[in-house]
């Protein structure tokens, strides 16, 4: 990994406005790591209904459809000593401007100017397999038969836990069984997560390539931090990610997670590329002025048409593809621009002088 660049004074000012988060093992210096920290509120409400190997589990948080967020460029609210501070897309694009020395460095090594943000679900790990297996295990324990039709399978993979339980598990049970079933489903899911040993096909080679190019990477998830760190270590990916965004960061939407990752990577949102498999995640990335690369699989290619690039797997992309994403108008083409209306100069009046 390349050595970390010096900390611009403008970015130090941003750090004083933002509250640091709990530590995560990385190669970043402690001061810079604290500067990149970002949480909404240290007093994050927790509503766990069980634990696995002393890990707190929050089924309501894990298995629900999150809001897209930043529909109008709005961000989230953090806290400082003199009161709340609202952090939005425009604010971060302005405050995370490159310093003079960084501009010189990026002119020589343009790839380092980018930041890559990876969604955990179905991008880093194939969580569809984990979720499907957990539902089948729960159905077997409860003596239920889950239909194999396409609509039911999609509901199991993309629907909320409450919706699936009400439709296939609680038809003959009392309502107070809901919490027990959600807790058991979460335990089964975490048990399967602990056995996960391989990332998505081609991901490790891709991370090795961007690591060689000194492009910082972040991973975002609704998992708690401890589970995420353990999972990355088992997959052998912990050295490739300079930042993670988890439940403890208190983000309330997909877009807010992406913005938090941009701050932790010390990159403007408009210079970040998000890797997603969900059309909602692609929309959230664009709402944050970020580029979006979609992985075809969980959704067909025609559902991912709004992505800037759609690929079947990581082996189809290279660092050159990242440059081409920003090639149309340079690395700042996603920045908000003011339209300049030039006044048309008055036309010259041609006269004919007659010389006698």
């Amino acid at each position: 990994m390349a050595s970390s660049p010096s900390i611009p004074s403008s970015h130090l000012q941003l750090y004083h406005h933002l509250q640091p988060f709990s530590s995560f093992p990385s190669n970043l210096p402690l001061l810079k790591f604290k500067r990149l920290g970002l949480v909404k509120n240290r007093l994050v409400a927790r509503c766990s209904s069980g634990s696995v190997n002393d890990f707190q589990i929050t089924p309501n948080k894990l298995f629900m459809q999150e809001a897209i967020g930043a529909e109008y460029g709005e961000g989230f609210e953090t806290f400082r000593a003199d009161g709340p501070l609202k952090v939005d897309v425009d604010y971060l694009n302005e405050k995370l401007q490159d310093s003079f020395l960084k501009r010189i460095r990026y002119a020589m090594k343009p790839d380092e100017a980018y930041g890559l943000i990876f969604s955990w679900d179905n991008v880093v790990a194939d969580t569809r397999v984990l979720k499907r297996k957990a539902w089948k295990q729960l159905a077997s324990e409860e003596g239920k038969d889950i239909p194999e039709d396409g609509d039911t399978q999609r509901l199991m993979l993309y629907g909320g836990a409450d919706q699936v339980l009400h439709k296939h598990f609680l038809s003959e049970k009392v309502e107070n069984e809901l919490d027990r079933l959600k807790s058991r489903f979460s335990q089964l899911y975490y048990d399967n997560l602990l056995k996960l040993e391989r990332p998505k096909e081609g991901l490790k080679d891709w991370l090795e390539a961007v690591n060689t190019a000194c492009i910082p990477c972040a991973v975002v998830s609704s998992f708690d931090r401890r589970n995420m760190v353990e999972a990355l270590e088992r997959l052998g990916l912990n050295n490739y990610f300079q930042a993670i965004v988890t439940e403890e960061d208190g983000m309330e939407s997909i877009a807010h997670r992406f913005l938090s990752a941009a701050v932790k990577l010390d990159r403007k949102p408009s210079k970040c590329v998000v890797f997603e498999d969900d059309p909602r995640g692609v929309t959230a990335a664009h709402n944050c002025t970020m580029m979006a690369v979609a992985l075809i699989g969980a959704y067909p290619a025609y559902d991912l048409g709004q992505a800037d690039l759609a690929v079947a797997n990581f082996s189809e992309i290279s660092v050159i593809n990242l440059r081409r994403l920003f090639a149309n108008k340079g690395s700042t083409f996603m920045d908000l621009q003011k339209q300049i209306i030039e006044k048309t100069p008055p036309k010259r009046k041609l006269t004919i002088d007659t010389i006698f």
Side-chain angles (χ1 to χ4, degrees):
M1 292 291 294
S3 59
S4 300
S6 58
I7 302 174
S9 58
S10 62
H11 292 193
L12 285 174
Q13 184 179 6
L14 175 61
Y15 161 65
H16 290 304
H17 291 314
L18 301 177
Q19 188 173 349
F21 64 99
S22 58
S23 60
F24 169 67
S26 79
N27 296 326
L28 294 175
L30 181 60
L31 175 61
K32 181 176 181 181
F33 190 68
K34 288 184 177 180
R35 173 174 63 86
L36 296 180
L38 189 59
V39 298
K40 178 188 176 189
N41 191 345
R42 299 294 293 184
L43 300 177
V44 179
R46 311 215 183 280
C47 183
S48 60
S49 56
S51 63
V52 179
N53 296 338
D54 296 328
F55 295 161
Q56 294 299 319
I57 56 179
T58 53
N60 287 332
K61 187 74 173 178
L62 274 175
F63 308 113
M64 64 179 294
Q65 191 176 60
E66 290 183 286
I68 294 175
E71 284 82 0
Y72 302 98
E74 70 275 9
F76 49 89
E77 192 175 75
T78 186
F79 294 89
R80 54 182 181 179
D82 56 347
L85 172 69
K86 292 185 177 180
V87 179
D88 57 24
V89 176
D90 293 343
Y91 180 89
L92 293 179
N93 275 324
E94 177 184 355
K95 290 296 182 180
L96 294 177
Q97 292 284 352
D98 300 329
S99 65
F100 175 72
L101 293 178
K102 277 190 174 181
R103 288 198 297 271
I104 295 177
R105 181 181 181 87
Y106 296 157
M108 297 184 293
K109 298 182 178 181
D111 297 332
E112 295 184 14
Y114 308 133
L116 306 186
I117 301 172
F118 295 80
S119 175
W120 166 260
D121 291 325
N122 304 318
V123 174
V124 175
D126 191 353
T127 55
R128 290 181 301 167
V129 175
L130 303 181
K131 188 178 289 188
R132 186 184 295 112
K133 184 177 180 180
W135 280 125
K136 289 183 177 179
Q137 289 173 324
L138 182 61
S140 176
E141 292 179 359
E142 298 295 321
K144 295 289 184 178
D145 293 325
I146 298 181
E148 296 292 335
D149 61 279
D151 291 339
T152 302
Q153 295 300 313
R154 280 191 293 272
L155 177 63
M156 290 169 54
L157 294 177
Y158 309 115
D162 289 14
Q163 187 178 4
V164 178
L165 291 173
H166 277 295
K167 186 170 184 178
H168 296 288
F169 289 85
L170 291 175
S171 57
E172 299 177 357
K173 293 181 179 291
V174 293
E175 186 67 22
N176 59 13
E177 285 286 284
L178 179 63
D179 290 338
R180 181 189 68 82
L181 291 173
K182 285 195 296 185
S183 176
R184 180 55 183 159
F185 172 65
S186 299
Q187 291 173 2
L188 293 171
Y189 183 86
Y190 274 101
D191 285 341
N192 295 329
L193 177 65
L194 294 174
K195 300 175 184 177
L196 188 65
E197 297 179 352
R198 291 183 297 178
K200 291 283 286 187
E201 181 183 358
L203 174 62
K204 199 164 188 177
D205 292 337
W206 169 240
L207 290 174
E208 187 65 38
V210 298
N211 180 56
T212 302
C214 298
I215 305 175
C217 300
V219 58
V220 301
S221 172
S222 56
F223 280 157
D224 61 276
R225 188 173 304 277
R226 185 174 178 181
N227 266 312
M228 178 56 61
V229 172
E230 291 286 340
L232 290 175
E233 290 178 350
R234 283 193 304 275
L235 296 176
L237 303 178
N238 52 308
N239 291 329
Y240 295 109
F241 292 104
Q242 287 69 49
I244 62 172
V245 178
T246 56
E247 178 197 3
E248 286 81 355
D249 291 288
M251 300 296 106
E252 296 181 345
S253 69
I254 303 171
H256 291 176
R257 295 185 190 280
F258 294 160
L259 292 176
S260 178
V263 173
K264 294 181 182 183
L265 291 178
D266 195 19
R267 295 296 186 271
K268 295 166 55 176
S270 59
K271 288 188 177 180
C272 290
V273 180
V274 172
F275 291 82
E276 260 286 355
D277 77 314
D278 192 321
R280 293 166 52 81
V282 173
T283 301
H286 286 165
N287 288 349
C288 297
T289 69
M290 298 177 181
M291 287 294 191
V293 175
L295 267 70
I296 303 170
Y299 290 88
Y302 58 79
D303 283 340
L304 302 169
Q306 60 178 324
D308 301 287
L309 178 65
V311 296
N313 53 61
F314 286 102
S315 62
E316 295 185 3
I317 55 179
S318 66
V319 175
I320 296 176
N321 294 123
L322 298 181
R323 302 173 193 166
R324 289 175 178 171
L325 288 176
F326 297 93
N328 293 333
K329 297 182 181 179
S331 61
T332 59
F333 86 101
M334 286 292 286
D335 292 347
L336 297 178
Q337 302 289 339
K338 292 183 178 179
Q339 183 177 358
I340 300 176
I341 302 177
E342 296 182 357
K343 294 182 179 180
T344 304
K347 296 181 179 180
R348 291 183 58 187
K349 293 183 179 180
L350 299 179
T351 59
I352 301 176
D353 294 332
T354 303
I355 301 176
F356 294 95

